[in-house]
Amino acid sequence: MWQHLDDRFDKKVIHTDVCSNCHPFYTGEQRIVDTEGQVDRFYKKLEVRKQYLRDVEARETARVSPERPIAELDLGPRASEALAKAGITNVGQALEKLELGESVLLSIDGFGRKSLADLKKRLRQFGYTLPEIGEEITV
């Protein structure tokens, strides 16, 4: 084996960890591979991932459910009571009234412009999309 002092990359012999004398491809030796265990672990991880995605989707669906009670929006006692007296108990009903226009909600006793602005703000925070006609008021 010879080597230059200046150039350390000129070598006659290259030593490797795997050669044709010991590599399983050349020797015909078979290694025992736990493929069944690997496949099972993969399917378990895949199933856990699918379950996680289903849970996330269910939470998102519940988050923007029209059946959500108005009380969960934390509008304040006056606005919540005014909506309850008008028979609006869930978000779906409030969105229906918003589609008809702001004047429908503003005609409710005890529910003014500030309450309407708070309602819209909270609906947006929860991820609801407001109807175009319901975008009239700005604060």
Side-chain angles (χ1 to χ4, degrees):
M1 183 160 128
W2 59 274
Q3 183 174 4
H4 293 291
L5 294 175
D6 295 335
D7 191 7
R8 296 180 188 256
F9 299 109
D10 292 339
K11 293 185 178 182
K12 275 188 169 181
V13 179
I14 299 175
H15 296 282
T16 61
D17 293 336
V18 180
C19 64
S20 62
N21 293 333
C22 59
H23 193 276
F25 179 77
Y26 296 107
T27 62
E29 176 185 327
Q30 290 186 342
R31 292 186 182 175
I32 298 173
V33 179
D34 183 24
T35 56
E36 185 175 323
Q38 290 176 350
V39 171
D40 289 341
R41 283 192 303 270
F42 172 76
Y43 279 124
K44 284 180 185 176
K45 288 179 184 179
L46 184 64
E47 186 59 37
V48 168
R49 174 75 177 155
K50 286 181 181 178
Q51 181 63 37
Y52 170 76
L53 291 175
R54 284 192 295 264
D55 292 345
V56 167
E57 185 177 333
R59 280 195 301 268
E60 269 308 307
T61 305
R63 184 171 187 248
V64 292
S65 171
E67 300 300 318
R68 178 187 292 270
I70 290 288
E72 289 183 15
L73 297 179
D74 294 327
L75 292 177
R78 182 176 176 152
S80 296
E81 289 173 14
L83 290 172
K85 284 181 184 175
I88 301 171
T89 57
N90 62 33
V91 172
Q93 294 169 337
L95 289 173
E96 287 174 8
K97 298 291 184 185
L98 270 176
E99 285 178 4
L100 298 175
E102 292 178 348
S103 58
V104 176
L105 283 174
L106 291 173
S107 65
I108 298 172
D109 288 333
F111 195 84
R113 290 206 170 273
K114 182 174 181 337
S115 299
L116 180 60
D118 289 344
L119 173 66
K120 287 181 173 186
K121 179 180 174 185
R122 294 298 290 164
L123 288 173
R124 282 190 205 100
Q125 286 175 348
F126 277 91
Y128 293 95
T129 54
L130 300 179
E132 299 262 340
I133 198 164
E135 296 286 338
E136 297 169 8
I137 199 170
T138 56
V139 175

